[in-house]
Amino acid sequence: SFQTVRSAVDLSLFTPRPKWGPLSTFKLLHECLRFTIKKQADILAALSAKDSNAVEFAAAELNALVITFLEHSRHEDHILFPRIRRFFPALNQEADEEHDRLHNQTNTLQQAMSAYNSSDKSAASAQAFLSSVNSVMGEWQTAVDAHLRNEEQTMTVVVRKYFPLEYQIEVAKEVFDTTSGDTWRVMLPFVVNNLPHYVWKVRYVKALIWGNAMRAQEVGLMLYHTVDSDLWNLLVREMPHIAPRGLAEHHRLY
């Protein structure tokens, strides 16, 4: 094709496209979901209702997972997918239907958490909570895994091939600004703490700041209070500009 010939002439034919960009946060969040849903499903299945502290901790972690999943889905439904479909109208409508089905399963988890959090936290309440969430977690995990693969084989490809850097930054800013601070304070540390590799943790924060450069210290402040000291030292060594005011590593941005 003409495009192939032009790429050969300008020597870009065999040059790989940039692997990471401001919207790489979506792919890395997918990796977080893959890892964390399975981990939490295994933990919940093994818990004893008599271990009240462990059940309360697992319920809090599940709540953070659900908040992160739902907000990520909203970013896709209302921000990312409409822009992708400007290039390819009606691309992968199945992804929207999958979101609807996944949200129905998520409602079961939310109802179980709500009932448990408003209960007396007794062993009987814990058993009811565990029975409810364990009845859906396995099916939800399978459905989420299939859904993420579907998105990455269709939607992610369009972002990588058709979204120039400036457009990725524009979309990344909208993603950040349409999410409340309260939600970011749950979502951001949840993703960074649960990504299984240090390089992914760093890359997620770098990608987020790549699209929101003037929010670096805001992001750093959210992380400083919610990750352990070893992880914080790793992050601030890689990105000194995220250090909030009052820390030795802080540098003024203006």
Side-chain angles (χ1 to χ4, degrees):
S1 68
F2 174 76
Q3 183 176 6
T4 302
V5 173
R6 187 184 67 180
S7 298
V9 171
D10 67 15
L11 304 180
S12 65
L13 179 60
F14 301 106
T15 302
R17 297 182 181 87
K19 189 172 182 179
W20 301 104
L23 295 183
S24 294
T25 51
F26 282 84
K27 178 65 168 66
L28 287 165
L29 201 148
H30 282 189
E31 298 298 344
C32 174
L33 292 174
R34 283 191 177 98
F35 177 77
T36 312
I37 293 176
K38 182 182 186 308
K39 180 180 73 172
Q40 290 200 13
D42 291 344
I43 291 172
L44 288 163
L47 274 181
S48 167
K50 296 179 181 179
D51 191 345
S52 58
N53 290 335
V55 174
E56 283 195 50
F57 181 80
E61 287 293 292
L62 182 60
N63 182 59
L65 168 61
V66 168
I67 288 173
T68 299
F69 173 78
L70 291 176
E71 190 67 8
H72 173 70
S73 297
R74 189 186 67 80
H75 291 160
E76 292 179 333
D77 288 337
H78 298 289
I79 300 174
L80 187 63
F81 288 179
R83 283 159 176 75
I84 289 173
R85 288 170 180 149
R86 290 188 179 193
F87 292 90
F88 298 97
L91 176 66
N92 197 1
Q93 297 286 352
E94 294 85 359
D96 301 331
E97 298 167 5
E98 289 169 1
H99 274 178
D100 291 338
R101 291 193 294 270
L102 290 169
H103 290 171
N104 289 335
Q105 293 170 317
T106 306
N107 288 340
T108 301
L109 299 175
Q110 289 179 305
Q111 290 166 6
M113 288 186 291
S114 178
Y116 176 69
N117 289 331
S118 61
S119 73
D120 58 2
K121 307 293 178 66
S122 65
S125 299
Q127 186 58 59
F129 165 71
L130 292 173
S131 297
S132 181
V133 297
N134 285 329
S135 69
V136 72
M137 280 297 287
E139 182 181 351
W140 190 54
Q141 177 192 344
T142 301
V144 170
D145 284 345
H147 171 67
L148 298 180
R149 284 195 301 272
N150 180 21
E151 285 185 351
E152 289 163 1
Q153 291 169 359
T154 54
M155 302 300 202
T156 303
V157 175
V158 176
V159 173
R160 189 170 172 184
K161 289 186 176 181
Y162 289 88
F163 281 33
L165 176 59
E166 293 79 4
Y167 192 33
Q168 288 197 40
I169 290 174
E170 178 184 324
V171 176
K173 287 181 183 295
E174 185 172 357
V175 167
F176 192 89
D177 289 339
T178 58
T179 295
S180 71
D182 288 340
T183 300
W184 274 121
R185 286 183 180 88
V186 174
M187 187 173 174
L188 179 58
F190 178 83
V191 175
V192 174
N193 280 319
N194 283 287
L195 278 168
H197 305 295
Y198 275 123
V199 66
W200 289 359
K201 298 172 189 287
V202 172
R203 195 165 283 159
Y204 179 82
V205 180
K206 281 187 174 181
L208 184 65
I209 295 172
W210 195 350
N212 298 274
M214 296 307 296
R215 303 299 187 88
Q217 291 179 12
E218 182 180 343
V219 169
L221 185 60
M222 293 178 185
L223 289 170
Y224 178 69
H225 294 291
T226 50
V227 301
D228 63 45
S229 58
D230 288 339
L231 179 51
W232 170 255
N233 288 334
L234 170 76
L235 294 173
V236 81
R237 185 176 69 242
E238 294 286 337
M239 298 163 284
H241 52 295
I242 71 171
R245 292 176 183 273
L247 297 188
E249 303 92 342
H250 170 72
H251 298 281
R252 292 183 60 180
L253 294 180
Y254 56 86

